[in-house]
Amino acid sequence: MSSSEAEELAIAVAKDTYEKGDVAAAEEMLRLLATRGSPSPAGMAAFDWGVVLESRGDARGAQHAYRMAVNSPNPEAAAMAALNLGIILFYEGDTKQARTFLTLAMESGHPQAAPKGAFNLGGLLAGEGHAEEAMRALQRAVDSGHPDESPGALTQLGALWFTAGRVADAEAAFERVIATRHPEFAPMAHTCLMDSRRQRG
């Protein structure tokens, strides 16, 4: 077994330790692997370390671990860490840095981090009044076909189109979301569609 394979096995053991409830032991194992391991496994350990730290409310420590993962040569760890870091920074009010990391996630091509990054970036941009940029990010999430992010982004996109006066496009978007029967977004889209039709008279 190579040292890299041994480190990957150690990460799996640490994650299992965490899932069994021994947070402190898992945290220490992942910290050692993140700071002393080979570059690629260390990147994944840093991401998992960040998840553990975030789970116990240490946002500052989680940010440090996620930044290590973002800067690692492990593309999966970097993409997922960029997403989580962007979300933390957004909730802390640092929208400039949040935008940077959510864009990294969106551009990563990762099957989970990319659509989630696009969805969250679209929401951030919409909240700041950058409607056109928000629409482009949300469209990326829609086009991903992700079972959650795609209908969620299409609902947001429909709302932006409605605000921009593109009522027909908005209602078509809401109808598409309703057709997915997504447990969260289909009811939301149905409400939006009914509101739109009422406003049209």
Side-chain angles (χ1 to χ4, degrees):
M1 183 183 289
S2 68
S3 61
S4 179
E5 288 171 334
E7 288 164 5
E8 288 171 6
L9 179 60
I11 292 169
V13 170
K15 289 170 74 173
D16 184 61
T17 301
Y18 171 70
E19 287 166 8
K20 287 177 177 173
D22 193 346
V23 177
E27 186 180 323
E28 181 60 14
M29 290 165 73
L30 290 167
R31 183 188 68 78
L32 289 170
L33 289 160
T35 55
R36 300 181 188 177
S38 307
S40 185
M44 186 53 70
F47 169 73
D48 289 326
W49 183 29
V51 171
V52 171
L53 290 167
E54 190 176 359
S55 75
R56 67 171 182 77
D58 184 358
R60 186 174 298 278
Q63 286 185 50
H64 171 69
Y66 288 146
R67 286 177 192 275
M68 289 173 65
V70 168
N71 293 323
S72 79
N74 186 314
E76 182 175 2
M80 295 189 300
L83 172 67
N84 287 10
L85 187 53
I87 292 170
I88 289 176
L89 290 164
F90 172 75
Y91 282 112
E92 289 191 346
D94 189 347
T95 54
K96 184 177 179 181
Q97 275 204 83
R99 182 173 176 171
T100 297
F101 286 106
L102 290 174
T103 300
L104 274 176
M106 180 179 71
E107 301 289 354
S108 69
H110 187 277
Q112 296 293 329
K116 288 176 185 289
F119 177 72
N120 282 278
L121 179 62
L124 184 158
L125 292 166
E128 292 192 325
H130 304 298
E132 290 299 322
E133 287 180 85
M135 288 178 192
R136 285 195 291 273
L138 291 168
Q139 189 64 59
R140 294 271 296 262
V142 171
D143 293 344
S144 74
H146 188 282
D148 293 317
E149 310 309 317
S150 182
L154 189 54
T155 305
Q156 281 201 38
L157 198 51
L160 287 172
W161 283 339
F162 181 81
T163 302
R166 294 171 57 181
V167 178
D169 288 337
E171 291 189 355
F174 298 143
E175 287 169 353
R176 280 175 60 194
V177 177
I178 292 165
T180 68
R181 298 184 178 180
H182 189 279
E184 179 183 356
F185 296 112
M188 193 181 297
H190 182 266
T191 300
C192 292
L193 180 61
M194 292 302 101
D195 286 346
S196 176
R197 287 175 175 169
R198 271 196 296 272
Q199 290 187 46
R200 281 199 290 111

